[in-house]
């Protein structure tokens, strides 16, 4: 089985000249947690995830403590918001490098890449580099698990 059998084809993406605020708005309006960043030729050049955006909201001390279990309430920090000027910055300031695979990639290879690179989603591109889809750990895992039962029924 290949990634093309389970990938999402209607992917919400954002242009490289969009702002961080525009990316946040896309996540809100489209209820997504992953945005491939595309150049003018529809080639993915980076990726922004909901956790990347949420880091703008989290207090700095969260990254300094090993466990936040002891903090029962963030108090006044709960109502802070990112500096409006930071939200006008281009999304390229926040995006991460992208790892892509092609639709013909096998499911186990794709899942292995996700584990190796600590990713929940992989961007799928056509051989010419253009965006083809998005595949998640859940997409791959359920496709693989489904095959277990298809094998049982063939006996």
């Amino acid at each position: 089985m290949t990634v093309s059998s389970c990938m999402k084809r209607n992917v919400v993406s954002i242009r490289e000249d969009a702002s961080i605020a525009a990316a946040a708005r896309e996540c809100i309006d489209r209820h997504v947690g992953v945005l491939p960043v595309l150049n003018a030729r529809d080639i993915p050049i980076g990726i922004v995830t909901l956790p990347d955006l949420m880091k703008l909201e989290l207090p700095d001390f969260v990254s300094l403590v090993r466990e936040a279990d002891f903090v029962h309430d963030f108090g006044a920090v709960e109502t802070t918001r990112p500096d409006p000027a930071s939200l006008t910055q281009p999304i390229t300031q926040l995006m991460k490098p992208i790892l892509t695979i092609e639709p013909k990639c096998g499911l186990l290879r794709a899942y292995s890449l996700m584990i190796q690179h600590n990713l929940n989603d992989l961007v799928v591109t056509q051989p010419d580099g253009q965006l083809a889809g998005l595949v998640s750990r859940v997409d791959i895992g359920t496709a693989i698990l489904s095959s277990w039962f298809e094998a049982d029924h063939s006996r």
Side-chain angles (χ1 to χ4, degrees), residues 122-148:
L122 278 173
V123 173
V124 184
T125 56
Q126 297 295 352
D128 66 1
Q130 289 199 327
L131 182 64
L134 187 76
V135 68
S136 70
R137 284 189 187 202
V138 173
D139 297 331
I140 293 171
T142 56
I144 291 170
L145 296 180
S146 293
S147 72
W148 295 359

Side-chain angles (χ1 to χ4, degrees), residues 1-24:
M1 284 194 298
T2 63
V3 166
S4 64
S5 68
C6 64
M7 70 182 193
K8 298 170 197 72
R9 287 175 168 70
N10 296 324
V11 179
V12 178
S13 60
I14 195 158
R15 294 282 174 198
E16 66 183 322
D17 60 352
S19 68
I20 291 173

Side-chain angles (χ1 to χ4, degrees), residues 60-125:
D60 289 337
F61 76 82
V62 171
S63 63
L64 300 175
V65 295
R66 185 171 208 129
E67 293 185 31
D69 289 346
F70 71 92
V71 182
H72 298 289
D73 185 356
F74 284 99
V77 178
E78 291 282 349
T79 60
T80 63
R81 297 295 173 257
D83 175 30
S86 69
L87 298 179
T88 63
Q89 292 181 353
I91 197 60
T92 53
Q93 296 296 313
L94 190 63
M95 74 179 191
K96 292 180 181 169
I98 194 165
L99 175 65
T100 64
I101 56 172
E102 290 188 5
K104 64 182 179 185
C105 179
L107 295 182
L108 287 178
R109 179 175 183 273
Y111 197 80
S112 297
L113 288 169
M114 291 174 154
I115 291 169
Q116 184 178 28
H117 295 277
N118 195 27
L119 301 170
N120 291 318
D121 301 276
L122 278 173
V123 173
V124 184
T125 56

Side-chain angles (χ1 to χ4, degrees), residues 20-34:
I20 291 173
R25 180 55 57 195
E26 280 296 313
C27 287
I28 295 164
D29 293 348
R30 306 292 291 275
H31 202 76
V32 297
V34 177

